[in-house]
Amino acid sequence: MRLSSDAVLMVVDMQAAIDDPRWGELNNPGAEANIAALLAAWRELGLPVLHIRHDSPELRSPYRAGTPGHAFKPCAAPLATEPVFAKETTSAFADGRLDATLTRLGVTCLVLCGVLTQNSVEATARAGGDLGYRVFLVEDACRASAKTGRTGRRWSAEEVHALSLAHLAGEYARIVATDETVAAARTAAAIRDSRRDRSRARGA
């Protein structure tokens, strides 16, 4: 796994609303700790971080602005220097603002984590892949919910998560784990620092 030094860690919809009982069973109970580990690594290494916040227009949504669920979870609370992009749809790219900002900054690589795997995470990964970004989805730093289909068949949260990742793998994103992602980030930062040192030496 290779990351470029412009690899943006994008944390999707990590708000208190995900704890609402309406979601039912969720998988990956360690996802919040993994998200915190990713954030700590990106911040330590000086790599770019941004947050996606869902501002649901639905009156009864736990993600609606002004409700307790709208707040970021402590494990993923943005720092003052980290941009927050609000959205009202599943994909963070829907209104064009995020793509315009990333393009202006020269970003080519995205590392995604957050919730829900089959909703906003998948929609954002698909859109990012279609727009030409190199997308890495950290599978153990995302959570899915169980689903029941029209005929009454029920799929567990783990099954929903696995199928969503299977849909994305290869065509839209590379599926990775937290440990290898942190290691790749450290390598990318080391290469960046080495290039900076060589540039400074030439200019001295």
Side-chain angles (χ1 to χ4, degrees), residues 24-95:
E25 171 204 344
L26 299 177
N27 72 325
N28 270 351
E32 291 190 11
N34 289 332
I35 291 169
L38 290 166
L39 280 168
W42 253 252
R43 290 163 177 168
E44 173 196 344
L45 298 168
L47 296 174
V49 175
L50 66 83
H51 301 260
I52 306 302
R53 187 189 70 219
H54 192 53
D55 296 351
S56 177
E58 298 180 14
L59 290 175
R60 296 183 180 180
S61 171
Y63 278 100
R64 187 172 178 81
T67 66
H70 189 252
F72 284 104
K73 299 206 70 173
C75 68
L79 299 180
T81 55
E82 295 169 354
V84 175
F85 283 83
K87 65 178 179 62
E88 294 186 352
T89 57
T90 51
S91 171
F93 287 101
D95 64 8

Side-chain angles (χ1 to χ4, degrees), residues 3-10 38-51 79 81-83 107 109 111 181-193 196:
L3 294 179
S4 55
S5 59
D6 70 353
V8 172
L9 178 63
M10 187 182 301
L38 290 166
L39 280 168
W42 253 252
R43 290 163 177 168
E44 173 196 344
L45 298 168
L47 296 174
V49 175
L50 66 83
H51 301 260
L79 299 180
T81 55
E82 295 169 354
V107 172
C109 182
V111 177
T181 304
V182 169
R186 293 193 183 282
T187 299
I191 293 172
R192 174 203 62 195
D193 293 345
R196 285 178 180 173

Side-chain angles (χ1 to χ4, degrees), residues 50 83 85 96-107 133:
L50 66 83
F85 283 83
R97 292 183 302 114
L98 177 60
D99 181 43
T101 298
L102 295 174
T103 299
R104 186 174 68 252
L105 295 173
V107 172
Y133 294 96

Side-chain angles (χ1 to χ4, degrees), residues 68-198:
H70 189 252
F72 284 104
K73 299 206 70 173
C75 68
L79 299 180
T81 55
E82 295 169 354
V84 175
F85 283 83
K87 65 178 179 62
E88 294 186 352
T89 57
T90 51
S91 171
F93 287 101
D95 64 8
R97 292 183 302 114
L98 177 60
D99 181 43
T101 298
L102 295 174
T103 299
R104 186 174 68 252
L105 295 173
V107 172
T108 61
C109 182
L110 307 176
V111 177
L112 299 186
C113 60
V115 295
L116 287 161
T117 311
Q118 77 274 19
N119 289 350
S120 292
V121 174
E122 180 173 340
T124 299
R126 285 177 179 272
D130 283 341
L131 288 167
Y133 294 96
R134 292 174 62 225
V135 179
F136 295 85
L137 196 159
V138 189
E139 62 179 335
D140 55 353
C142 297
R143 304 192 80 180
S145 61
K147 299 293 290 184
T148 300
R150 182 175 58 84
T151 62
R153 177 177 174 178
R154 183 181 183 278
W155 290 269
S156 71
E158 192 55 47
E159 289 171 329
V160 171
H161 182 74
L163 185 57
S164 182
L165 298 182
H167 287 156
L168 293 171
E171 185 172 2
Y172 299 101
R174 178 171 172 180
I175 310 303
V176 294
T178 296
D179 288 349
E180 66 177 316
T181 304
V182 169
R186 293 193 183 282
T187 299
I191 293 172
R192 174 203 62 195
D193 293 345
S194 177
R195 287 173 178 167
R196 285 178 180 173
D197 290 343
R198 290 197 299 269

